[in-house]
Amino acid sequence: ASKAGAPGEGGTGGEKGERGVEAAWGGAADADVILLLIEAHRGLTDGARAIIDQLREHAGKTPVALVINKIDRVKAEALLALSAEVNQTFGFARTFMISAERGHGTADLMDWLAAELPEGPWLYPEDQAADVPVRVLAAEITREKLTLRLHEEIPYQLTVETEAWEE
């Protein structure tokens, strides 16, 4: 999976961030499906518009689905207006309105992804939980737990670095 974001949209600024965004767009060329995730309460931001502009260049024939998350934070009228506005900017294959936190709409998204993605061989041994070293996985789990527990008390782009690891 690749993630591309604009500064202020979950992306990172600076030279390192730009390289990461370029790498993510490079990965989009090999993707079977691309999902554009927009938070309903934020609407169609400048960052989202920039990503849509890049999708025109990089998506090619890859199906692109619009996923509007956090639908429980806005009224139905605003949600429908947002969906119409975003769909006017790009020819999305499908639009999904979900609340990932509550699980609303996620089954339809998962069913669509299962239908769109080709079957392939197992790329990793059955007992391998991730494609990253265990110490990197531990750092990501720690970062996730800190973000969930501390909410807005810490910077959004929290980094956790593993200094020591024992098996």
Side-chain angles (χ1 to χ4, degrees), residues 14 20 29-30 43-44 67 88 90-91 96 99 116 118-120 125 128 130 135 158 161:
D30 296 328
L44 184 56
V67 181
Q88 287 177 351
F90 188 84
F96 297 92
S99 170
E116 289 292 316
E119 288 190 32
Q128 185 174 341
R135 62 187 293 144
L158 173 69
E161 198 171 309

Side-chain angles (χ1 to χ4, degrees), residues 88-109:
Q88 287 177 351
T89 66
F90 188 84
F92 293 99
R94 288 283 306 270
T95 297
F96 297 92
M97 298 181 192
I98 70 169
S99 170
E101 182 176 49
R102 296 184 179 178
H104 301 300
T106 56
D108 288 339
L109 174 59

Side-chain angles (χ1 to χ4, degrees), residues 21-167:
V21 171
E22 287 176 24
W25 283 119
D30 296 328
D32 297 304
V33 171
I34 298 172
L35 302 177
L36 174 63
L37 179 67
I38 292 181
E39 294 180 340
H41 65 287
R42 293 185 190 270
L44 184 56
T45 63
D46 290 342
R49 287 181 193 278
I51 292 170
I52 291 168
D53 289 342
Q54 291 292 312
L55 279 172
R56 286 189 193 93
E57 182 180 333
H58 295 285
K61 294 183 180 184
T62 304
V64 180
L66 170 62
V67 181
I68 302 175
N69 191 24
K70 301 185 181 181
I71 60 171
D72 48 329
R73 292 192 176 187
V74 298
K75 293 185 179 182
E77 298 83 19
L79 183 60
L80 292 173
L82 173 62
S83 175
E85 179 185 14
V86 180
N87 274 284
Q88 287 177 351
T89 66
F90 188 84
F92 293 99
R94 288 283 306 270
T95 297
F96 297 92
M97 298 181 192
I98 70 169
S99 170
E101 182 176 49
R102 296 184 179 178
H104 301 300
T106 56
D108 288 339
L109 174 59
M110 297 301 283
D111 289 345
W112 183 78
L113 287 170
E116 289 292 316
L117 296 173
E119 288 190 32
W122 288 100
L123 300 176
Y124 305 101
E126 188 175 327
D127 62 341
Q128 185 174 341
D131 63 346
V132 296
V134 177
R135 62 187 293 144
V136 173
L137 185 60
E140 282 302 305
I141 291 170
T142 303
R143 188 184 74 76
E144 176 187 21
K145 297 297 181 190
L146 286 169
T147 302
L148 289 172
R149 296 195 193 293
L150 299 175
H151 303 286
E152 295 178 13
E153 297 175 23
I154 57 173
Y156 182 74
Q157 294 178 343
L158 173 69
T159 301
V160 176
E161 198 171 309
T162 306
E163 293 181 356
W165 181 262
E166 291 181 22
E167 289 290 328

